Amino acid sequence: MIKFVLMVNQQGQTRLSRYYEPVELSRRAALEAAVVRCCLSRNKEQCSFVEYKDFRLVYRQYAALYVVMGVTHSENELSIYELIQNFVEVLDKYFSRVSELDIMFNLDSVHIILDEMIQNGHVVETNKSRVLAPLTAINKMVDG
Amino acid sequence: MPAVSKGDGMRGLAVFISDIRNCKSKEAEVKRINKELANIRSKFKGDKALDGYSKKKYVCKLLFIFLLGHDIDFGHMEAVNLLSSNKYTEKQIGYLFISVLVNSNSDLIRLINNAIRNDLASRNPTFMNLALHCIANVGSREMAEAFVSEIPRILVAGDTMDSVKQSAALCLLRLNRTCPDLVPMGEWTARVVHLLNDQHLGVVTAATSLIATLAQKSPDDFKTSVSLAVARLSRIVTSAAIDLQDYTYYFVAAPWLSVKLLRLLQCYPPPEDAALRSRLTECLETILSKAQEPPKSKKVQHSNAKNAVLFEAITLIIHHDNEPNLLVRACNQLGQFLQHRETNLRYLALESMCTLASSEFSHEAVKTHIETVINALKTERDVSVRQRAVDLLYAMCDRSNAKQIVAEMLSYLETADYSIREEIVLKVAILAEKYAVDYTWYVDTILNLIRIAGDYVSEEVWYRVIQIVINRDDVQGYAAKTVFEALQAPACHENLVKVGGYILGEFGNLIAGDPRSSPLVQFSLLHSKFHLCSVPTRALLLSAYIKFINLFPEVKGTIQDVLRSDSQLRNADVELQQRAVEYLRLSCIASTDILATVLEEMPPFPEKESSILAKLKKKKGSSKLPDLNDARRNINGSTNHTEDTETAEKVSTHSFTDKLNVNSTPSTGASLLVDVFSDVSNTPAPNDVSEEHFLRFVCKNNGVIFENQLLQIGLKSEYRQNLGRMYVFYGNKTSTQFLSFSSSVSSNDLLQTQLNIHTKTVDPVIDGGAQVQQILNIECLSDFSDAPVLHIQFRYGGALQNIAVKLPVMLNKFFQPTEMTSQDFFQRWKQLGAPQQEVQKIFKAQHQMDSDVAKAKLLGFGVALLDGVDPNPANFVGAGIIHSKTTQVGCLIRLEPNTQAQMYRLTLRTSKDSVSQRLCELLSEQF
């Protein structure tokens, strides 16, 4: 299962964090810092899966932003790797070319999207239009 | 899609975020955040009721602040209020706040439950979804209890919307994880399984996650899912991309669902039904074949998604391990990936192949890729990929390629990353031992390991080579020759000196015939390293020297000179000094026969599982380690060594093992090299007080009072009148530091008035292999019968260890022996004639009735033995005075053995009944 989803920029600032297993606040900062250090220290030629403590990190870099998922060993790494891509593509579709700022200013929408795609550390929906359905409904209400 | 404005119109939020981003320093950021928190707090507390929009805005700000790592201790109530809003956005933000910020034991749960109940009943699918997400995210027991019967009903109801079903499935999954006892398996399981047939692939995806998890716990309940999963998988695999339009990702049909179905199937053995099995085999073959087809898209997402399914299919093939054809095809496919330009694929292929190597059908096929894997070890730029290559080499190793693989690993070790060196060392050591046909190769390999990566060679590894050399006489001469040669190097690792010292001490005679390695040359070579070594190694070398005196009488003079030198005899280290003194005396007074007996060659070690393997398992977690256990018995055939604890104990006071036991005080029971066999796993020490060895200390003052896998505690004590001093030695048996080490002594209330113990503090850090000493000063105030308890606490690895040991401070320690004439004895005996002053006990002998032993024990107990007092020479009579600060208690003892009946009668008379009682208790346990 997926233990957490993080979006962290190159300066190490967390832009999104979602934990599917309880982690104390005091330990989150340390974990997030360690995770981003781990990703930053790697170059493009290295593989996107890293052993970290008793689980594994799967990460993808988009410009200055890293999307990292901590997964147990039973997860299929490539499917998680593509799940990240799918998630970013959904964000891209919603924000029409998503940027770090979009994520910061629309944290609630990003959370809605993430919650539609992953629940409890499991993939629940991968179809882009269906993921975006609740948000589309809201925006219609606002427009109408 | 409408264009989304920054911040959805929440200007305040946008300004706040911009402010934070413009902060130049952490301090400025904290200041800005505190200002905002104060602002929000005052708004929440204000008289003016906030509208939904403002509440939403503030909750968003709090979420942002929380994300930056600041704790949020208010706003929960406002979030709960948002839950009852009718506006979706407000409700959503309320739920979001709660699922991110509320932990499962919050006292708000009841209020939240109310809102959830309303939303679940609303029949509005979006509201229901939010409520279900919230239950799943918070997942507290109280919530589970409130909704556990409701959720399965929602999940299987015919009229539930698809998206609600998805949420309900994942919600149930969470409740099952947190409160499995509450989630009943029952009538709904069959209907859940049928969700695999649902038209909607989103529902199938969610259901598969749920079923796969539940099936792991109770496979029988979900057996029927196998056929449905195979059918579903088959439809996906064979579908044209167009059929599953919505769930096709870069021309791959439903990749995530396929992966999940394949994973669900891994909960079960291959289907027994032939038709079903062939359908599954067909699916797997199709997946394998698709990998060979030209890609439908050049996009990397396409091949990644395709390969995600492929890897999961291969995992299933390996899990079933019954179709040789599929296994070999899988292996060939992975072989192709080994040379792929994508690092991710190479990494996964190495990992997957590692499990494939353990299948008998594909082991040979895996072996054909050895050159590629070795090449990966040399050329991969990513240490984690190289790590996988090492794992795979280890897994594919067998007798046919062991020499090649070990040689490659050794040569890689020279440049290997520090992070994985220790593991490679362990792996090489295990492979070399396991596949050694001739043990000269094994010895060479281990010495090479020490030469190349001495710092990473743990104790287990060098203990092991010694065990093997001692157990195999065909390799002893070679080992002696090889270590002798290795020691010639101007700079050699301390571990090599240890192995060298031990082996030459045991088997140096086998190469002494050659004038180039004559006894004197051997000795000089070892001694030239002496001054560069740490205390434990020096101690070991001193033992090797005394062994030399036995092996080679001609160097006795030289070695005695060394032992006699001030740097040994007056060494600041107690252990070294004591060894030097004892060995020197031993060499001077013992006859050649005695010397030969005392310093006899070590007997073979009993065979158990290699402690190195145990260590590697511990390091890697045994589940991840390919099973190499099959032929562990091939190390040697010697079974004649039966070392029961009784003899071990007796022998060890003089044997070489004990002298090697550098962590302990001299003349102690247990020995280090025997302990090497024990599992070094980190078992938390028992919390109850250890008094296992307590009684052994009644008649002696020195020895090991406590020992577990981590720590050994030795004692040396001396007493004079009512005062005593105890030296406690804490030996760290591991190679890791003990941190936050502390020890203290406690006594119960009564004992505190009877016994004064002053403790000196110890250093909080004990290095691996090191020993620290603590001094306890003891004063006996009045007679006592309890014993103080020594409490030790320290951190090993992450774990806190607690140990409590009953300290052997007993009343008889404060004995002063008293000599007296027969006449005096009987006079006093009569004086102490009151009934409460005499205590008598008749008991069965627990040990062999030996008069010398009994005598030694009585002397150790502290009394003077009076000869010629008792008319029966077989009886013992003794006298002494117990000293305390307040009083002195005279004490007379008579012990009458009856060898025929194997019984003793013990009689004590003292001027104080409690003293008589206590002394009798203590002494009667000793015979």
Side-chain angles (χ1 to χ4, degrees):
Chain A
M1 67 170 284
I2 302 167
K3 288 171 164 254
F4 57 81
V5 178
L6 289 181
M7 286 180 118
V8 199
N9 68 12
Q10 271 179 330
Q11 287 80 49
Q13 293 159 318
T14 307
R15 291 309 178 212
L16 175 82
S17 71
R18 196 81 165 94
Y19 289 84
Y20 300 104
E21 270 185 353
V23 177
E24 282 168 45
L25 181 66
S26 54
R27 296 178 55 202
R28 287 187 186 194
L31 174 76
E32 286 164 19
V35 164
V36 74
R37 257 201 312 278
C38 181
C39 294
L40 282 173
S41 65
R42 301 173 66 81
N43 61 37
K44 289 240 158 69
E45 283 175 12
Q46 296 187 296
C47 74
S48 317
F49 321 123
V50 198
E51 297 285 334
Y52 183 83
K53 296 195 177 154
D54 58 340
F55 53 98
R56 193 170 273 184
L57 303 175
V58 178
Y59 70 95
R60 269 182 111 128
Q61 188 184 358
Y62 297 91
L65 203 60
Y66 285 88
V67 184
V68 191
M69 292 195 187
V71 298
T72 56
H73 282 102
S74 60
E75 272 298 339
N76 179 309
E77 291 83 1
L78 275 178
S79 81
I80 297 294
Y81 188 67
E82 285 311 309
L83 184 67
I84 295 176
Q85 171 73 13
N86 200 17
F87 173 53
V88 173
E89 285 181 15
V90 174
L91 293 178
D92 222 31
K93 188 172 172 189
Y94 182 69
F95 293 107
S96 39
R97 297 189 65 88
V98 66
S99 71
E100 193 179 328
L101 284 183
D102 292 322
I103 293 164
M104 291 172 69
F105 287 119
N106 299 284
L107 206 51
D108 53 333
S109 311
V110 177
H111 268 288
I112 297 179
I113 292 174
L114 188 62
D115 279 357
E116 289 296 319
M117 296 185 73
I118 300 173
Q119 282 175 30
N120 262 305
H122 293 273
V123 188
V124 67
E125 183 59 76
T126 55
N127 175 324
K128 294 193 182 68
S129 344
R130 288 180 50 86
V131 170
L132 287 175
L135 281 174
T136 318
I138 296 172
N139 288 325
K140 270 202 191 113
M141 284 190 284
V142 174
D143 291 349
Chain B
M1 186 65 41
V4 183
S5 58
K6 304 281 183 236
D8 253 348
M10 288 191 278
R11 226 189 117 256
L13 178 66
V15 170
F16 172 60
I17 292 175
S18 305
D19 283 358
I20 293 289
R21 296 189 64 225
N22 291 334
C23 285
K24 294 279 186 288
S25 64
K26 192 80 199 163
E27 289 74 32
E29 186 185 300
V30 171
K31 211 171 150 197
R32 179 69 183 87
I33 286 171
N34 285 336
K35 186 180 154 203
E36 192 63 39
L37 285 174
N39 172 39
I40 300 172
R41 209 177 261 128
S42 73
K43 285 281 193 309
F44 280 166
K45 281 206 181 129
D47 310 327
K48 230 171 53 185
L50 293 172
D51 57 3
Y53 165 79
S54 311
K55 278 189 199 158
K56 181 185 158 186
K57 183 174 74 181
Y58 294 129
V59 170
C60 268
K61 282 184 181 175
L62 290 179
L63 273 178
F64 187 79
I65 292 170
F66 180 73
L67 193 64
L68 292 173
H70 299 264
D71 204 359
I72 303 294
D73 53 4
F74 67 102
H76 299 73
M77 210 48 222
E78 285 68 24
V80 172
N81 288 338
L82 283 174
L83 296 185
S84 45
S85 164
N86 278 327
K87 283 197 181 143
Y88 176 81
T89 46
E90 290 173 10
K91 196 188 274 293
Q92 188 266 338
I93 207 86
Y95 273 121
L96 179 59
F97 183 94
I98 283 159
S99 35
V100 174
L101 279 167
V102 173
N103 54 22
S104 47
N105 48 20
S106 163
D107 35 342
L108 290 173
I109 295 286
R110 213 154 296 158
L111 289 171
I112 300 170
N113 277 358
N114 276 336
I116 291 177
R117 194 166 289 116
N118 290 336
D119 283 333
L120 284 184
S122 72
R123 320 283 304 154
N124 174 336
T126 36
F127 288 5
M128 286 174 86
N129 272 338
L130 286 176
L132 288 168
H133 287 189
C134 183
I135 300 172
N137 281 318
V138 178
S140 76
R141 194 164 179 92
E142 210 176 334
M143 260 187 195
E145 279 164 357
F147 300 109
V148 77
S149 52
E150 181 78 358
I151 293 161
R153 203 186 50 71
I154 297 176
L155 176 60
V156 296
D159 58 346
T160 307
M161 296 271 293
D162 292 333
S163 63
V164 178
K165 276 189 194 167
Q166 285 171 277
S167 303
L170 270 302
C171 185
L172 198 54
L173 178 59
R174 169 64 191 258
L175 295 188
N176 182 270
R177 203 171 70 205
T178 47
C179 323
D181 53 314
L182 289 181
V183 183
M185 298 289 167
E187 71 280 21
W188 55 269
T189 50
R191 296 174 70 184
V192 168
V193 170
H194 269 274
L195 290 176
L196 291 177
N197 265 339
D198 201 283
Q199 289 182 337
H200 191 287
L201 287 195
V203 174
V204 184
T205 308
T208 315
S209 291
L210 174 64
I211 295 167
T213 308
L214 296 180
Q216 275 167 7
K217 287 185 184 158
S218 39
D220 286 344
D221 289 336
F222 293 90
K223 237 186 209 155
T224 45
S225 65
V226 174
S227 60
L228 292 177
V230 171
R232 192 87 219 192
L233 183 68
S234 162
R235 268 181 281 157
I236 296 172
V237 169
T238 53
S239 70
I242 203 82
D243 297 347
L244 300 163
Q245 193 64 57
D246 288 353
Y247 287 87
T248 297
Y249 177 81
Y250 290 90
F251 304 98
V252 181
W256 291 282
L257 176 54
S258 308
V259 166
K260 278 190 182 294
L261 289 168
L262 287 162
R263 182 146 293 269
L264 168 60
L265 290 172
Q266 286 168 45
C267 300
Y268 293 92
E272 281 166 23
D273 176 66
L276 191 60
R277 194 162 65 202
S278 75
R279 196 166 180 196
L280 177 58
T281 307
E282 220 169 276
C283 280
L284 295 171
E285 277 173 345
T286 315
I287 295 172
L288 283 169
S289 307
K290 276 190 180 171
Q292 298 297 326
E293 289 168 9
K296 294 196 180 101
S297 157
K298 286 214 169 72
K299 287 261 170 64
V300 66
Q301 285 88 336
H302 169 71
S303 58
N304 279 341
K306 201 162 83 170
N307 291 330
V309 180
L310 177 62
F311 274 109
E312 205 59 57
I314 291 176
T315 313
L316 180 63
I317 291 170
I318 298 170
H319 170 79
H320 284 170
D321 196 17
N322 66 338
E323 296 268 2
N325 173 35
L326 285 176
L327 283 160
V328 171
R329 274 185 73 180
C331 183
N332 294 339
Q333 182 59 54
L334 293 176
Q336 282 182 20
F337 285 154
L338 286 184
Q339 317 212 30
H340 202 281
R341 59 191 165 74
E342 283 273 329
T343 314
N344 288 346
L345 285 184
R346 295 198 302 275
Y347 176 89
L348 294 174
L350 285 167
E351 189 179 57
S352 223
M353 226 180 217
C354 214
T355 42
L356 210 47
S358 56
S359 162
E360 55 171 321
F361 299 117
S362 50
H363 184 79
E364 288 303 315
V366 171
K367 272 167 64 186
T368 59
H369 299 286
I370 184 166
E371 295 302 333
T372 320
V373 183
I374 288 171
N375 198 38
L377 200 56
K378 290 176 177 160
T379 57
E380 281 293 349
R381 298 192 187 175
D382 184 347
V383 54
S384 39
V385 183
R386 289 196 295 271
Q387 163 97 58
R388 293 283 156 267
V390 171
D391 289 349
L392 178 52
L393 283 178
Y394 178 76
M396 68 161 69
C397 191
D398 62 16
R399 214 166 280 281
S400 72
N401 56 18
K403 285 204 170 163
Q404 184 189 8
I405 285 177
V406 166
E408 290 296 346
M409 281 189 171
L410 271 176
S411 82
Y412 172 56
L413 193 54
E414 307 218 24
T415 55
D417 313 77
Y418 297 116
S419 55
I420 58 175
R421 280 196 183 184
E422 189 185 357
E423 200 186 310
I424 298 179
V425 167
L426 292 174
K427 287 188 161 149
V428 169
I430 290 167
L431 292 178
E433 178 185 327
K434 179 162 187 214
Y435 298 115
V437 182
D438 78 86
Y439 278 84
T440 57
W441 173 70
Y442 171 74
V443 170
D444 285 343
T445 305
I446 302 296
L447 291 183
N448 266 330
L449 271 184
I450 297 177
R451 183 178 57 75
I452 296 169
D455 286 344
Y456 298 89
V457 172
S458 54
E459 286 179 339
E460 287 84 352
V461 174
W462 75 260
Y463 289 165
R464 191 70 187 158
V465 69
I466 287 174
Q467 287 163 16
I468 286 175
V469 169
I470 284 176
N471 286 6
R472 298 197 60 92
D473 41 20
D474 55 334
V475 77
Q476 288 160 356
Y478 180 81
K481 181 164 161 287
T482 319
V483 292
F484 176 77
E485 280 162 9
L487 283 169
Q488 309 272 352
C492 47
H493 196 274
E494 192 167 333
N495 278 336
L496 182 67
V497 180
K498 289 178 184 162
V499 175
Y502 201 120
I503 289 184
L504 290 180
E506 291 290 326
F507 309 114
N509 55 330
L510 299 177
I511 58 167
D514 189 328
R516 283 167 301 177
S517 52
S518 70
L520 193 59
V521 176
Q522 285 185 39
F523 171 72
S524 316
L525 182 61
L526 280 181
H527 198 54
S528 68
K529 315 285 181 195
F530 188 89
H531 306 281
L532 304 169
C533 291
S534 63
V535 169
T537 310
R538 289 189 193 189
L540 188 150
L541 285 178
L542 287 179
S543 299
Y545 296 170
I546 186 73
K547 285 251 171 177
F548 268 15
I549 290 182
N550 175 42
L551 290 178
F552 316 118
E554 63 265 42
V555 294
K556 183 173 175 177
T558 319
I559 292 177
Q560 283 178 331
D561 286 345
V562 168
L563 293 176
R564 204 175 283 127
S565 69
D566 278 354
S567 62
Q568 309 295 354
L569 273 192
R570 299 192 178 174
N571 196 298
D573 186 89
V574 182
E575 176 67 32
L576 291 182
Q577 192 187 85
Q578 178 145 8
R579 282 189 191 220
V581 173
E582 286 181 1
Y583 291 162
L584 184 60
R585 283 306 288 160
L586 182 66
S587 72
C588 293
I589 58 173
S591 68
T592 8
D593 285 353
I594 291 176
L595 215 51
T597 316
V598 172
L599 301 170
E600 202 182 3
E601 193 178 293
M602 286 292 292
F605 287 90
E607 272 310 325
K608 289 186 192 162
E609 187 194 53
S610 160
S611 49
I612 312 179
L613 196 66
K615 172 148 182 164
L616 184 65
K617 276 184 185 159
K618 185 182 148 204
K619 215 172 148 55
K620 294 284 278 184
S622 47
S623 58
K624 286 179 69 196
L625 196 70
D627 196 14
L628 279 182
N629 287 336
D630 49 338
R632 200 117 301 280
R633 69 197 89 76
N634 64 2
I635 296 147
N636 75 5
S638 81
T639 48
N640 54 357
H641 185 97
T642 47
E643 191 178 23
D644 63 289
T645 47
E646 188 76 11
T647 51
E649 204 174 298
K650 222 182 271 173
V651 167
S652 64
T653 30
H654 293 296
S655 81
F656 193 31
T657 10
D658 182 56
K659 297 307 174 197
L660 251 177
N661 187 354
V662 288
N663 281 346
S664 75
T665 53
S667 64
T668 53
S671 74
L672 196 59
L673 271 176
V674 174
D675 290 327
V676 168
F677 293 108
S678 65
D679 188 351
V680 248
S681 72
N682 184 359
T683 39
N687 273 329
D688 47 347
V689 179
S690 159
E691 42 187 298
E692 190 187 352
H693 301 308
F694 182 79
L695 284 174
R696 280 207 221 151
F697 283 81
V698 171
C699 296
K700 65 173 187 171
N701 286 333
N702 303 336
V704 172
I705 182 71
F706 175 84
E707 180 152 26
N708 67 7
Q709 283 113 346
L710 307 175
L711 179 72
Q712 188 191 53
I713 305 176
L715 297 180
K716 263 192 212 179
S717 26
E718 50 200 36
Y719 294 89
R720 198 158 180 200
Q721 299 197 332
N722 71 324
L723 300 177
R725 175 171 289 178
M726 186 178 271
Y727 300 86
V728 188
F729 298 89
Y730 303 99
N732 179 346
K733 291 168 63 178
T734 71
S735 50
T736 320
Q737 276 187 336
F738 291 164
L739 298 173
S740 328
F741 189 93
S742 70
S743 68
S744 60
V745 177
S746 75
S747 310
N748 63 27
D749 293 345
L750 177 64
L751 190 59
Q752 278 176 12
T753 63
Q754 298 165 334
L755 203 61
N756 236 339
I757 299 187
H758 178 75
T759 345
K760 303 207 167 150
T761 50
V762 273
D763 200 30
V765 175
I766 305 183
D767 286 326
Q771 192 184 55
V772 299
Q773 174 190 305
Q774 183 178 32
I775 299 176
L776 309 182
N777 287 320
I778 304 162
E779 185 186 14
C780 177
L781 302 175
S782 66
D783 71 281
F784 60 97
S785 46
D786 275 319
V789 177
L790 178 68
H791 299 272
I792 296 126
Q793 201 176 53
F794 59 93
R795 283 196 173 278
Y796 170 71
L800 191 66
Q801 305 284 331
N802 274 308
I803 294 167
V805 183
K806 201 163 159 187
L807 268 186
V809 180
M810 305 98 163
L811 187 57
N812 67 299
K813 298 294 175 195
F814 302 96
F815 251 131
Q816 285 290 108
T818 318
E819 295 286 350
M820 56 180 77
T821 62
S822 171
Q823 201 185 353
D824 286 344
F825 183 87
F826 282 114
Q827 194 185 350
R828 295 195 188 186
W829 187 262
K830 276 182 203 141
Q831 283 168 359
L832 298 171
Q836 73 273 19
Q837 289 174 325
E838 182 185 284
V839 175
Q840 190 172 73
K841 192 170 177 184
I842 298 170
F843 54 91
K844 199 148 183 68
Q846 292 162 12
H847 304 280
Q848 207 183 345
M849 294 179 74
D850 183 310
S851 126
D852 286 340
V853 172
K855 203 184 257 177
K857 281 185 174 166
L858 284 170
L859 287 172
F861 193 63
V863 291
L865 280 180
L866 308 177
D867 286 331
V869 173
D870 200 298
N872 180 351
N875 293 348
F876 302 95
V877 170
I881 297 169
I882 300 274
H883 286 257
S884 72
K885 197 179 176 187
T886 45
T887 52
Q888 298 190 355
V889 181
C891 172
L892 304 176
I893 288 181
R894 189 171 187 220
L895 180 71
E896 297 157 278
N898 180 343
T899 37
Q900 261 171 341
Q902 291 287 303
M903 305 284 276
Y904 284 103
R905 179 163 69 186
L906 175 65
T907 317
L908 277 133
R909 286 190 181 185
T910 76
S911 52
K912 204 167 173 189
D913 52 349
S914 59
V915 173
S916 306
Q917 199 65 45
R918 178 62 180 158
L919 290 179
C920 180
E921 277 166 26
L922 287 169
L923 192 58
S924 60
E925 293 293 326
Q926 298 299 314
F927 296 95

